[in-house]
């Protein structure tokens, strides 16, 4: 017993002690005996034929142990990096899936593409030798924007992928949408860009691989969000290492945001290399190296049209998007702008007909994959901008047009025209809460105060829904997933009643060690201090799909809840025996097993003890031990949502946008730990604000150079960019997860870009501005103001 | 060619041999096994590596090891109370209390900057804190709880001084 801390409480985090004292254990902190250092040689060109590599000078350089290239990998018959998701076009023709070699073969296709791995005694020696590697490139023109890539005559990345189109994908009822457009009273149109982003977790990626000849076993320590998936993909498909001979460990990981959830070539190369050189090998990326090798996010060009009747009711929504995949297909690449995007275009509205076409396109850029929100921020941005455009064109208030089209609370479960069925939600409730919290009714006063200082103030709304907690395996399989999307948990009760949980999700900032311990503490009635959560090591944890898409609590928490129920069920059997009662008469409450209607009782610790010291135990019918495992495959996505309201002030002299107020009311289902949920919301919101106002990955067309290639050129949000935010929850419970949870890790990033840009457009609307592409940098706004026809001072 | 560098590290006299081009962050992490000081970038932007040199916050990724000779260096590992104790510094306590960290990677640098800020100015305002954290990037927390933590930690430091 002792200190039970359950659902809804906000204990301080268990993980904090080590992080606050500098005792975290990140991959770059690890040293292995005899460790060598590896450096990747990366292409400086966006697109080039690889004519040959002369290793001799590099090999002769001091301390060099080996230089490995794509030719060596081919000679060792290694596979290429697998794509985890295969999509098809409307006729069922599968996407074009060119191989993604772990070290380039024949051609390089983006700046940063790996051409060789140099191993030496020290990092400095490896760096020096890498400089001496003579790589003969025949440089080709690069194409970096999707608009250019699909044009006839554009540089072609792959011989068998005409016009660089990987897949021409669609979803929805095209004919119904066309019919609705014909009878529409108004059609609003919008062209927009969803800018390319770089995830920038503060810990750069790193890996160490070690091979033990005695046992023929490999260990890979890597900055991963899903070590079991890396083990599976890399062992089974790339390096041909049996699963039981490969251990993958992702210890403390310094942020992920999606960037660390893919199987990267670096991991495969380093593992292969460790056996070749018979030494542990370590590689730690520099931040700038991360810019040209971490998977990027977003990068859409979209044309959208919304058909409305005369009252402002949405009749149909049509969206055409070109989505940039970069130079190769990353692990989930093709899934993001398709299955995680188009099904969310319904948002929280009752739009009866939706059609979306997505051309998935290769370009000479870093491969694009899931980044916090992944597909859903893109969908929300298109829809919520579109709603504002329609409102302003039809002269309807922006809140009013949303209300007129919102799915009422009573209408849940709600089937959208694009695959997904929302189980629960209350968008109107979130909107009402946010309007009050943001003090919208006094906005006019604040706007006038800004105007008196010569500033323009604007208010922006984003009412959104997301689909998270990926997903029923069967459903995902139909959509092209090549893996399952369940989660597993093992609850090990020790003889003295303490509990160790082995779980397949991965904690890299989300506070799993605390939240999951709360679930166990509440359910088993054991002390919070007596529960430890183990994750991130394929030798310790049975199996798992990892952490991404806000799935940890939704799917992993459900597996944990199920496994805990099994422990209770077995405990009841043991108690029935010890208390000489029928099993059906045993109740479990607050950490005690008792016979209903009597005062006969056994504590959880006594039951655990009896399970492991089975002297007086019915061994014929009951196994000793108290450890249970569960796998949980969700029956549906969960659908968090909410309303975000941003308030900005624009300085017309400089074009600077200042975020002055930010309010979010989110429906995340059951809140296990309000402190952690609030922290997740804060972080998510600022990441979305970053996209809206500051962050942009810019490539040079033609050369394919990444111009924003370091923290010097890529503007990350800092503390003084933000005001104090107001966040609150207004939850409806998920109807199909055991605890009613919905997920909260991404909602901030999904809701905020549209809210901020809608606010910027609102601030400038009196000048005739109808749209601003992200990021709304001072330069972009200033230019817009120079081009606006109205004199600035006349306001 | 290596040089000999003698300095006070977390209260203890320390002498090392290092290449003159060694960065302090590397020296701490690779030679002295103090991995609490993190390296998050290569352009002196992120602040994950902040330590105190003679009481002032510096980015240890841009400082060469010979600059330590004769100096006093404090790293995250030196913040705990008496050796072997787990008594945290008031700023560390404040970060835990106000959820000022998530993944923990920026945290050592944030703490070192925060302590220096609080020491420099007794009555920190929110604007002071936000401005003072300009050189430290956190990708996880959205800064709000860090700002709250720093203000609370500064207040606790002041109170401790007053006692
Ligand atoms: S590592 Fe020193 S500022 Fe980034
Ligand atoms: S807590 Fe992760 S970077 Fe700050």
């Amino acid at each position: 017993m002792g200190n039970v801390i359950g659902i809804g409480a906000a204990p301080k985090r268990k993980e904090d002690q080590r992080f606050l004292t500098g005792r975290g254990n990140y991959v770059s902190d690890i040293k292995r005996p005899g460790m060598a250092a590896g450096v990747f040689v990366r292409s400086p060109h966006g697109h080039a034929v690889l004519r040959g590599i002369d290793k001799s000078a590099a090999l002769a350089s001091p301390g060099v142990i080996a230089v490995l290239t794509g030719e060596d990998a081919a000679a060792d018959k290694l596979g290429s990096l697998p794509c985890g998701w295969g999509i098809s076009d409307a006729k069922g023709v599968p996407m074009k899936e060119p191989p993604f070699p772990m070290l380039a073969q024949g051609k390089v296709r983006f700046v940063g593409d790996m051409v060789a791995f140099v191993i030496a005694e020290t990092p400095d020696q490896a760096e020096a030798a890498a400089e001496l590697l003579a790589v003969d490139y025949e440089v080709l023109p690069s194409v970096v924007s999707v608009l250019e890539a699909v044009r006839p005559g554009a540089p072609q990345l792959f011989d068998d992928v005409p016009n660089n189109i990987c897949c021409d994908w669609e979803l929805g009822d095209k004919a119904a949408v066309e019919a609705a457009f014909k009878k529409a009273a108004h059609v609003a149109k919008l062209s927009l860009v969803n800018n390319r982003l770089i995830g920038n977790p503060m810990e750069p990626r790193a890996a160490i691989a070690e091979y033990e000849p005695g046992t023929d076993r490999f260990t890979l320590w890597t900055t991963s969000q899903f070590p079991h998936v890396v083990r599976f993909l890399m062992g089974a498909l790339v390096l041909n290492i049996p699963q039981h001979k490969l251990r993958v460990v992702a210890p403390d990981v310094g942020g992920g945001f999606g960037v660390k959830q893919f199987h990267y070539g670096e991991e495969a190369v380093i593992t292969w290399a460790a056996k070749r050189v018979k030494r542990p090998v370590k590689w730690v990326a520099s931040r700038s190296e991360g810019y040209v090798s971490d998977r990027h996010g977003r990068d859409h060009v979209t044309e959208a049209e919304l058909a409305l009747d005369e009252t402002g009711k949405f009749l149909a929504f049509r969206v055409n998007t070109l989505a940039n995949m970069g130079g190769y297909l990353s692990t989930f690449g093709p899934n993001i702008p398709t299955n995680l995007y188009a099904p969310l275009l319904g948002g929280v509205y009752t739009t009866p007909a939706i059609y979306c076409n997505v051309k998935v396109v290769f370009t000479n850029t870093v491969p694009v994959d899931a980044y916090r929100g992944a597909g859903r921020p893109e969908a929300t941005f298109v829809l919520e901008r579109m709603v504002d455009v329609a409102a302003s064109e039809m002269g309807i208030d922006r809140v009013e047009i949303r209300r007129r089209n919102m799915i009422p609370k009573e209408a849940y479960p709600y089937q959208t025209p694009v695959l997904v069925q929302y189980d629960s939600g209350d968008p109107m409730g979130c909107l009402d809460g946010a309007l009050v919290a943001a003090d919208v009714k006094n906005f006019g006063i604040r706007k006038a105060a800004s105007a008196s200082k010569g500033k323009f103030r604007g208010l922006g709304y984003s009412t959104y829904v997301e689909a998270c907690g990926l997903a029923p395996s069967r459903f995902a399989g139909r959509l092209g997933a090549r893996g399952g999307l369940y989660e597993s948990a093992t609850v090990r009760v020790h003889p003295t009643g303490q509990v160790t949980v082995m779980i397949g999700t991965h904690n890299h900032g989300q506070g799993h060690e605390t939240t999951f311990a709360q679930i166990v503490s509440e359910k088993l009635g054991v002390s919070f201090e007596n529960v430890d959560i183990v994750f991130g090591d394929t030798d310790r944890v049975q199996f798992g799909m990892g952490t991404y898409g806000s799935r940890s609590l939704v799917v992993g928490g459900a597996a944990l809840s199920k496994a805990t129920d099994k422990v209770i069920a077995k405990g009841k059997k043991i108690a029935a025996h010890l208390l000489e009662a029928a099993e059906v008469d045993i109740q479990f409450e607050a950490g005690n097993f008792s016979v209903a209607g009597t005062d006969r009782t056994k504590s959880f610790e006594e039951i655990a003890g009896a399970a492991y010291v089975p002297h007086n135990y019915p061994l014929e019918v009951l196994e000793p031990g108290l450890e249970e495992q569960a796998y949980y495959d969700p029956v549906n996505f969960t659908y968090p949502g909410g309303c975000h309201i941003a308030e900005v002030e624009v300085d017309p002299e400089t074009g600077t946008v200042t975020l002055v107020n930010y309010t979010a009311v989110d429906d995340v289902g059951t809140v296990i730990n309000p402190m952690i949920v609030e922290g997740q919301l804060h972080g998510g919101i600022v990441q979305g604000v970053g996209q809206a106002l500051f962050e942009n990955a810019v490539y040079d067309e033609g050369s394919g150079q990444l111009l924003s290639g370091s923290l010097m050129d890529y503007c990350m949000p800092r503390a003084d960019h933000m005001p104090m935010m107001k966040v609150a929850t207004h939850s409806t419970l998920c109807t199909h997860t055991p605890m009613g949870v919905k997920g909260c890790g991404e909602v901030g990033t999904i809701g905020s870009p549209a809210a901020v840009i809608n606010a910027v457009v609102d601030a400038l609307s009196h000048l005739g501005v109808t749209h601003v592409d992200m990021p709304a940098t001072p330069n972009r706004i200033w230019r817009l103001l120079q081009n606006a026809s109205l004199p600035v001072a006349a306001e | 060619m290596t040089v000999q560098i003698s300095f006070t590290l977390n209260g203890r006299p320390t002498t090392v041999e290092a290449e003159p081009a060694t960065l302090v962050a590397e020296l701490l992490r690779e030679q002295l096994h103090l991995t609490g000081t993190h390296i998050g970038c290569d352009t002196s932007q992120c602040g994950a590596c902040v330590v105190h040199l003679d009481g002032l916050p510096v980015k240890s990724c841009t400082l060469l090891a010979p600059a330590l000779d004769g100096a006093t260096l404090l790293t995250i590992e030196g913040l705990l109370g008496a050796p072997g104790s787990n008594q945290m510094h008031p700023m560390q306590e404040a970060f835990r209390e106000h959820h000022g960290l998530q993944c923990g990677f920026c945290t050592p640098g944030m703490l070192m900057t925060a302590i220096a800020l609080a020491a420099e100015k007794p009555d920190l305002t929110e604007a002071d804190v936000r401005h003072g954290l300009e050189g430290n990037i956190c990708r996880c927390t959205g800064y709000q709880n860090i700002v709250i933590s720093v203000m609370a930690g500064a207040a606790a430091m002041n109170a401790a001084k007053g006692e």
Side-chain angles (χ1 to χ4, degrees):
Chain A
M1 275 296 287
N3 187 20
V4 171
I5 297 180
I7 292 170
K12 304 310 162 206
R13 299 198 320 169
K14 282 174 175 265
E15 42 272 81
D16 287 355
Q17 175 75 26
R18 66 181 187 274
F19 296 148
L20 287 167
T21 54
R23 289 168 179 154
N25 183 35
Y26 301 89
V27 173
S28 59
D29 299 342
I30 296 171
K31 286 195 171 71
R32 301 297 301 167
M35 195 167 78
V39 163
F40 287 95
V41 178
R42 297 177 183 277
S43 169
H45 306 295
H47 197 189
V49 174
L50 201 51
R51 281 202 296 223
I53 300 173
D54 181 357
K55 297 181 185 178
S56 50
L59 282 171
S61 182
V64 171
I65 300 165
V67 176
L68 299 172
T69 66
E71 268 180 34
D72 300 314
D76 278 6
K77 299 207 172 23
L78 303 181
S80 58
L81 300 177
C83 179
W85 209 290
I87 55 167
S88 309
D89 71 11
K91 297 194 197 75
V93 179
M95 66 183 187
K96 299 281 192 324
E97 198 173 350
F100 185 175
M102 50 196 231
L103 291 169
Q105 294 179 13
K107 237 186 176 193
V108 290
R109 293 186 174 84
F110 64 93
V111 169
D113 205 353
M114 294 187 284
V115 296
F117 187 49
V118 178
I119 305 159
E121 296 294 336
T122 71
D124 288 346
Q125 288 173 335
E127 291 280 358
E131 296 285 325
L132 299 174
L133 193 75
V135 186
D136 185 8
Y137 296 103
E138 176 192 333
V139 180
L140 305 171
S142 291
V143 62
V144 300
S145 92
V146 280
L147 288 169
E148 295 300 323
V150 298
R151 290 217 169 108
Q156 299 287 293
L157 271 76
F158 301 97
D159 294 341
D160 51 353
V161 184
N163 300 319
N164 299 311
I165 296 177
C166 164
C167 191
D168 190 343
W169 185 91
E170 63 179 45
L171 178 69
D173 189 337
K174 198 175 185 177
V177 167
E178 269 163 25
F181 268 86
K182 285 213 181 81
K183 57 175 211 246
H186 184 81
V187 172
K189 292 190 177 142
L190 180 65
S191 302
L192 57 80
V193 171
N194 201 297
N195 47 322
R196 178 181 277 249
L197 300 178
I198 300 173
N200 276 303
M202 289 325 296
E203 177 205 28
R205 284 190 299 124
I208 304 170
E210 180 168 306
Y211 175 70
E212 295 163 61
T215 54
D216 194 29
R217 287 192 100 227
F218 292 83
T219 304
L220 170 69
W221 290 266
T222 179
T223 49
S224 177
Q225 299 175 219
F226 59 9
H228 286 87
V229 182
V230 170
R231 180 180 68 171
F232 173 63
L233 296 178
M234 185 172 87
L237 303 172
V238 186
L239 299 183
N240 300 315
I241 302 170
Q243 297 284 292
H244 65 304
K245 297 291 187 191
L246 176 56
R247 175 186 180 198
V248 179
V249 187
D252 287 331
V253 169
F257 316 114
V259 170
K260 292 173 180 165
Q261 73 163 305
F262 318 118
H263 173 35
Y264 280 95
E266 288 90 344
E267 292 164 334
V269 171
I270 201 167
T271 307
W272 165 58
K275 184 170 179 182
R276 290 217 16 167
V277 303
K278 301 185 181 61
R279 296 266 297 266
V281 182
K282 179 175 186 172
W283 161 76
V284 181
S286 68
R287 173 72 38 189
S288 299
E289 185 179 10
Y291 272 74
V292 294
S293 63
D294 290 359
R295 303 293 178 253
H296 292 181
R298 320 282 192 251
D299 205 344
H300 287 194
V301 175
T302 294
E303 303 273 343
E305 294 168 283
L306 184 66
L308 304 97
D309 73 10
E310 54 292 328
T311 69
K313 281 283 272 180
F314 306 160
L315 301 176
F317 191 31
R318 181 158 55 202
V319 177
N320 288 298
T321 292
L322 293 171
N324 201 336
M325 274 295 99
Y328 299 93
L329 296 181
S330 176
T331 312
F332 293 140
N335 183 46
I336 308 307
T338 53
N339 294 309
L340 289 185
Y341 170 67
L344 268 295
L345 289 168
V348 291
Y349 309 115
T350 56
T351 318
I354 297 171
Y355 171 77
C356 177
N357 174 272
V358 182
K359 290 186 180 60
V360 179
V361 180
F362 288 113
T363 66
N364 296 111
T365 57
V366 167
V368 175
D369 208 321
Y371 165 62
R372 200 170 193 172
R376 293 148 288 177
E378 294 91 315
T380 299
F381 189 68
V382 177
L383 179 59
E384 289 300 293
R385 280 296 301 123
M386 189 82 250
V387 170
D388 266 27
V389 168
S392 102
E393 289 179 359
M394 293 186 74
I396 304 172
D397 176 76
R398 293 175 295 160
V399 173
E400 178 55 27
I401 201 170
R402 285 179 167 84
R403 281 193 200 284
R404 280 185 205 171
N405 288 284
M406 260 178 193
I407 304 163
K409 191 177 180 196
E410 317 74 70
Y412 288 84
Y414 186 84
Q415 177 64 51
T416 73
V418 273
L419 293 179
V420 290
Q421 190 190 70
Y422 308 144
D423 64 306
S424 67
D426 181 15
M428 206 86 82
C430 291
L431 172 65
D432 288 336
L435 289 170
V436 173
D439 189 26
V440 168
K441 71 175 193 308
N442 290 317
F443 173 70
I445 299 171
R446 301 194 292 274
K447 187 173 170 79
S450 293
S452 70
K453 296 180 292 172
K455 307 260 174 79
F456 305 148
R457 192 175 272 249
L459 199 62
Y461 301 89
S462 167
T463 48
Y464 71 96
V465 64
E466 79 150 311
C468 76
L470 302 173
S473 290
R474 200 182 298 146
F475 181 75
R478 278 210 308 276
L479 297 179
R482 292 163 177 171
L485 289 168
Y486 48 83
E487 198 44 78
S488 89
T490 297
V491 176
R492 177 175 299 164
V493 182
H494 301 286
T496 42
Q498 289 92 3
V499 178
T500 303
V501 170
M502 276 69 67
I503 193 153
T505 57
H506 189 276
N507 182 21
H508 37 278
Q510 299 89 342
H512 294 183
E513 288 159 60
T514 303
T515 304
F516 289 155
Q518 284 178 254
I519 294 171
V520 174
S521 180
E522 163 143 340
K523 292 196 68 169
L524 295 183
V526 298
S527 157
F528 176 69
E529 286 74 36
N530 284 344
V531 184
D532 264 2
I533 309 296
V534 173
F535 61 92
D537 182 342
T538 61
D539 267 14
R540 294 188 71 193
V541 176
Q542 56 293 337
F543 200 76
M545 299 306 291
T547 287
Y548 46 88
S550 300
R551 71 189 301 280
S552 295
L553 188 55
V554 171
V555 190
L560 176 56
S561 174
K562 250 179 93 175
T564 312
D565 287 340
K566 289 185 183 178
V567 165
I568 295 169
K570 180 159 183 192
K572 283 185 177 172
K573 286 192 173 44
I574 301 169
H577 163 69
L578 295 179
L579 294 167
E580 294 172 343
E583 197 185 319
V584 290
D585 292 333
I586 302 294
Q587 292 175 334
F588 180 66
E589 219 184 89
N592 284 300
F593 293 88
S594 57
V595 183
T598 74
D599 58 0
R600 284 186 294 144
T601 177
K602 288 278 178 197
S603 70
F604 185 76
E605 289 80 359
E606 287 176 289
I607 295 299
Y612 287 98
V613 188
H615 294 165
N616 170 21
Y617 200 83
L619 291 167
E620 328 61 55
V621 291
L622 203 55
E623 290 175 7
L626 192 52
E627 167 169 324
E628 296 290 342
Q629 185 174 93
Y631 280 65
Y632 173 78
D633 201 294
V635 301
N636 191 356
F637 291 89
T638 68
Y639 300 95
C643 178
H644 288 203
I645 301 179
E647 197 167 319
V648 301
E649 200 174 57
V650 180
D651 180 348
E653 307 261 303
T654 61
T656 304
V657 177
T658 307
L659 186 64
V660 287
N661 287 313
Y662 199 93
T663 307
V665 175
D666 295 295
D667 176 357
V668 298
T670 303
V671 172
I672 308 276
N673 183 322
M675 177 189 84
I676 288 176
V677 167
E678 195 171 298
Q680 292 289 304
L681 296 175
H682 288 163
I685 289 166
V686 176
Q687 252 170 304
V689 170
Q691 170 168 27
L693 295 181
F694 312 113
E695 298 179 39
N696 205 15
V698 182
Y699 273 97
D700 179 44
E701 194 74 60
S703 75
Q705 294 300 320
L706 178 62
L707 301 177
S708 43
S710 78
L711 277 172
M712 306 271 267
D713 314 293
Y714 184 94
C715 181
M716 293 271 281
R718 292 171 191 259
D720 58 353
H721 287 134
M722 290 301 299
M724 284 292 177
M725 300 166 263
K726 283 188 205 148
V727 306
T729 51
H730 171 83
S731 282
T732 60
L733 300 193
C734 175
T735 60
H736 57 83
T737 53
M739 293 168 289
V741 298
K742 290 189 172 180
C744 67
E746 300 165 294
V747 293
T749 320
I750 293 168
S752 53
V756 173
I757 294 299
N758 281 344
V760 174
V761 174
D762 181 49
L764 304 178
S765 59
H766 64 287
L767 301 175
V769 172
T770 55
H771 179 66
V772 176
D773 267 326
M774 300 187 287
T777 56
N779 182 25
R780 181 167 274 167
I781 299 296
W782 189 82
R783 279 164 193 267
L784 207 63
L785 291 173
Q786 300 313 300
N787 294 334
S789 47
L790 296 171
V792 165
E795 160 68 357
Chain B
M1 189 212 57
T2 59
V3 292
Q4 187 173 320
I5 306 158
S6 295
F7 61 112
T8 307
L9 174 60
N10 297 333
R12 282 192 202 174
T14 304
T15 297
V16 293
E17 293 277 338
E19 297 278 342
T22 306
L23 299 168
V24 171
E26 281 171 16
L27 181 79
L28 289 169
R29 293 180 52 81
E30 303 302 329
Q31 248 173 287
L32 296 164
H33 308 290
L34 295 176
T35 55
T37 298
H38 293 159
I39 299 177
C41 74
D42 42 15
T43 51
S44 299
Q45 300 283 305
C46 77
C49 63
V50 172
V51 297
H52 291 181
L53 178 69
D54 292 330
L56 292 173
V58 293
K59 289 184 169 172
S60 64
C61 70
T62 25
L63 190 70
L64 293 171
L68 294 181
D69 204 45
T72 298
L73 197 72
L74 180 69
T75 72
I76 185 76
E77 289 88 352
L79 285 189
L80 287 182
S85 97
N86 260 345
Q87 180 58 48
M88 291 206 288
H89 186 280
M91 192 60 80
Q92 290 171 307
E93 290 287 1
F95 269 65
R96 174 163 45 203
E97 185 63 28
H98 300 281
H99 191 28
L101 66 156
Q102 290 182 21
C103 78
F105 197 79
C106 72
T107 309
M110 282 287 177
L111 286 165
M112 299 313 284
T113 301
I115 290 167
L117 270 180
E120 195 191 341
K121 190 162 184 253
D123 48 350
L124 284 171
T125 64
E126 182 198 331
D128 292 335
V129 175
R130 288 192 184 273
H131 184 70
L133 294 177
E134 214 181 29
N136 291 70
I137 301 177
C138 174
R139 190 53 148 174
C140 298
T141 61
Y143 302 103
Q144 184 143 325
N145 288 344
I146 292 181
V147 172
I148 293 168
S149 301
V150 175
M151 295 184 71
M157 280 167 65
N158 280 331
K161 234 187 322 185
E163 268 163 23

